[in-house]
Amino acid sequence: MRIGRMAPLFTAGITATLLATLAPAAQASAADPLSRFENQKPAWQRCDASQPAALQCATIKVPLDYDHPGAKTIDLAISRMRTSVPGKRHGVILFNPGGPGGEGLDMPVMMKEGMPKKVLDQYDLIGFDPRGVGRSSPVTCGLTTTEQNFEHAYRTETFKRDVTWARTVADKCRARNGDKLKYITTRNTARDMDVIRAVLGQKKISYLGYSYGTYLGAVYAQMFPQRTDRWVLDSAVDPARVWRGMIQVWAQGTEPAFTRWTRWTAQRDRTYRLGGTPAEVRKAFWDLIARADRSPVDDGGRKLTGDDIRAALRPAFFTPKYAAEAVVNLKKAADGHAASRGSLTPGDQPGPRGFTALAAQAPADNGTAAFWTVVCGDTAAWPRDPEQYRRDAIRDKAAYPLYGDIASNILPCAFWNKPAEPVTTVNNKVGVLTVQNEWDPQTPLVSGLGMHHALKGSRMVFVKGGEGHGVYSADPRACANRTVNAYLSTGRLLARDVTCAPSAPRSPGVAQPLVPAPQHTPAGPRF
């Protein structure tokens, strides 16, 4: 999930100011080698002329390698909106939009639009681009658009090409970034968050993280439990599945969503004409896939194979109406009635409202490069033998026909260097509020439950029947939103888990998630 990029902001004068605040390593306290980072005084200024003047940005320095804080440093871009009211101020709340690879500098603007006054009065809103992303020393691998597409269906005749692709991506990332790669990890981003906390003069911080941001928040809570305050994790990653298992769970989660879609569509046969029973709807879909594999479908100028359609529609099946409309339009295209606009155009998919993106400065492949850098660098639990991926893809295509082979096929992490440190075991008792839709395509329910169970002190808000990725929204009437807002404004965690009904169907400007859901594009994956 990518939030937008900042225009060039920081002048030579500001850079000089920052360097002056960072005393030489020799001056750092022997007792606290991070003190020179924690005592920085950010040079705040307006972020961008297209954004509200209240959104301020600054750049601070953090260690590239926290084991050697006196060595190389990198830039970390942070932002703030001072919305708290004297006498009501509780502290600061930090946001992360997901990814990995999602930019967060403009999140304070978006969150201010949706959060109620009783919450805003208590917090200053803080955003940041995680290390390696956007304005924070961005990584690039020099990947082409084709190389950024990770969704490769398994076929015997193309597997060798898939292996070459995976190895090429890993090699290009290594060649462009060298040793820097192994320090762009979730654990180091959590350490950066703690530097931000100290720079802002806070003993504790509150946090709202979406998707991948839930894992980042859980890792911070594991590493710095005494510094976590009011903590909300929306649409959660299962920490036991990072990271290959989190891609594979997309296949596992899609099968029940597909079955639900066949029932929903069969009940509306007069509208969609895809079949009057779930079995007939299922057959209509797979007939379309077989037909597209024989002769690719012209969908608004794009030629789509059956594999392309399987990959593109995977998240759509979690929202039955959109999936039914897309399948009908694809069938029409296969019959020669191609639409001027593609059936799978991201803008057609129901989802959150957009917002003004800031001018881009990061490399074109930054989001994808940051994704692989984190998911490959966080954990050593990636098979190294290409044949293991082949076996898994064959097995999972049989178990999960829609997406199993794609989810288990070979990825660049098979050829990544060994991680700098072990993956984080999440098993703390910090008080956390997790929020989860029942029908979430990116972090399916089983994933959200995994996070809830790992965090022994957590409570869950479960939206039964809720659709889409991201729950917390700008609708003050929604049960889940009322619960989150009550927690953020009082600090009182639920005594037990609660189940909410979904909010009313979305209409423009109402009940829209505050963070954009991922769209299917020929690029890297997102959580």
Side-chain angles (χ1 to χ4, degrees):
M1 288 184 267
R2 304 190 70 177
I3 296 297
R5 293 174 176 168
M6 307 300 293
L9 306 175
F10 310 113
T11 65
I14 291 175
T15 301
T17 300
L18 284 167
L19 292 176
T21 66
L22 281 171
Q27 297 179 11
S29 166
D32 183 6
L34 293 180
S35 62
R36 72 186 184 109
F37 299 99
E38 296 174 341
N39 293 326
Q40 293 175 82
K41 304 299 180 185
W44 296 104
Q45 70 168 26
R46 185 173 182 175
C47 291
D48 186 90
S50 68
Q51 292 293 310
L55 181 65
Q56 298 178 312
C57 286
T59 297
I60 61 174
K61 297 286 185 179
V62 292
L64 175 63
D65 176 5
Y66 276 86
D67 284 341
H68 300 92
K72 187 175 180 180
T73 65
I74 58 173
D75 290 339
L76 195 73
I78 59 177
S79 63
R80 72 176 181 186
M81 292 191 80
R82 306 181 82 170
T83 54
S84 63
V85 173
K88 296 182 179 181
R89 188 180 190 276
H90 177 74
V92 302
I93 183 166
L94 189 66
F95 304 110
N96 181 271
E103 302 162 20
L105 277 183
D106 49 2
M107 279 200 76
V109 175
M110 184 167 52
M111 302 310 295
K112 182 178 182 294
E113 293 177 0
M115 285 180 148
K117 186 176 186 299
K118 68 178 182 180
V119 174
L120 295 174
D121 284 352
Q122 296 189 42
Y123 297 95
D124 291 336
L125 312 183
I126 308 299
F128 74 112
D129 281 352
R131 60 169 53 206
V133 175
R135 300 292 300 179
S136 295
S137 302
V139 294
T140 177
C141 301
L143 301 178
T144 66
T145 300
T146 299
E147 288 169 338
Q148 291 187 65
N149 179 21
F150 82 105
E151 292 178 306
H152 300 144
Y154 173 79
R155 293 180 181 274
T156 302
E157 63 272 22
T158 59
F159 182 67
K160 184 176 180 181
R161 185 175 65 203
D162 297 340
V163 173
T164 299
W165 163 80
R167 190 189 303 273
T168 298
V169 171
D171 287 346
K172 291 179 77 168
C173 289
R174 201 159 28 239
R176 287 290 189 110
N177 299 283
D179 283 346
K180 179 182 177 180
L181 277 186
K182 64 183 179 182
Y183 302 115
I184 310 297
T185 63
T186 300
R187 286 180 65 85
N188 279 332
T189 301
R191 294 177 177 116
D192 293 342
M193 286 170 55
D194 202 54
V195 171
I196 294 172
R197 173 201 59 78
V199 166
L200 296 175
Q202 305 296 306
K203 292 183 178 180
K204 292 186 174 184
I205 53 172
S206 295
Y207 179 80
L208 172 57
Y210 292 86
S211 199
Y212 163 75
T214 65
Y215 180 65
L216 174 60
V219 170
Y220 183 93
Q222 190 72 34
M223 296 174 69
F224 306 101
Q226 72 281 13
R227 296 171 188 165
T228 63
D229 195 1
R230 301 171 187 178
W231 223 247
V232 181
L233 307 181
D234 187 328
S235 308
V237 165
D238 181 353
R241 296 175 185 261
V242 296
W243 281 110
R244 190 181 185 216
M246 277 306 303
I247 296 175
Q248 290 174 315
V249 81
W250 290 346
Q252 179 183 342
T254 300
E255 292 300 322
F258 180 74
T259 298
R260 172 179 176 247
W261 172 75
T262 63
R263 292 196 299 264
W264 186 94
T265 305
Q267 292 168 0
R268 295 159 178 81
D269 186 42
R270 287 188 177 183
T271 300
Y272 299 109
R273 303 295 183 186
L274 292 175
T277 68
E280 290 173 351
V281 174
R282 183 181 295 267
K283 182 176 185 300
F285 172 77
W286 285 109
D287 285 350
L288 171 65
I289 296 302
R291 185 175 178 183
D293 278 335
R294 292 192 300 269
S295 178
V297 175
D298 184 350
D299 183 53
R302 291 184 300 167
K303 294 288 188 179
L304 302 177
T305 67
D307 293 338
D308 295 330
I309 295 172
R310 284 194 295 130
L313 285 183
R314 179 198 65 79
F317 288 118
F318 290 79
T319 307
K321 183 176 186 294
Y322 170 72
E325 292 172 352
V327 171
V328 167
N329 289 334
L330 287 166
K331 282 175 61 65
K332 289 179 179 177
D335 290 335
H337 306 296
S340 59
R341 185 180 182 187
S343 304
L344 303 179
T345 301
D348 292 340
Q349 188 168 347
R353 58 201 162 101
F355 53 92
T356 303
L358 301 175
Q361 282 297 305
D365 71 334
N366 176 234
T368 302
F371 180 92
W372 293 125
T373 300
V374 171
V375 301
C376 301
D378 268 359
T379 174
W382 288 94
R384 298 292 174 168
D385 181 4
E387 290 303 311
Q388 181 66 56
Y389 292 89
R390 183 199 297 272
R391 292 190 294 269
D392 292 350
I394 293 171
R395 176 200 66 200
D396 289 347
K397 185 168 188 176
Y400 312 114
L402 267 167
Y403 200 75
D405 59 319
I406 299 172
S408 290
N409 204 354
I410 195 162
L411 294 171
C413 303
F415 303 104
W416 218 259
N417 289 351
K418 182 180 178 181
E421 55 185 324
V423 69
T424 305
T425 298
V426 174
N427 59 3
N428 62 74
K429 297 182 180 179
V430 173
V432 172
L433 186 65
T434 70
V435 193
Q436 181 70 39
N437 273 333
E438 181 176 8
W439 298 104
D440 182 328
Q442 300 303 110
T443 51
L445 178 58
V446 66
S447 172
L449 290 171
M451 176 67 85
H452 180 35
H453 294 153
L455 294 169
K456 311 303 182 186
S458 67
R459 298 292 183 269
M460 173 179 272
V461 180
F462 169 56
V463 185
K464 185 174 179 60
E467 296 176 354
H469 187 50
V471 178
Y472 186 58
S473 74
D475 182 3
R477 302 164 300 175
C479 165
N481 299 334
R482 294 197 309 269
T483 306
V484 172
N485 290 330
Y487 170 60
L488 288 176
S489 59
T490 67
R492 291 192 294 271
L493 193 62
L494 294 168
R496 60 185 64 85
D497 295 348
V498 300
T499 298
C500 287
S503 58
R506 296 173 187 167
S507 60
V510 177
Q512 301 292 348
L514 294 173
V515 170
Q519 310 287 3
H520 179 81
T521 56
R526 294 287 182 275
F527 296 110

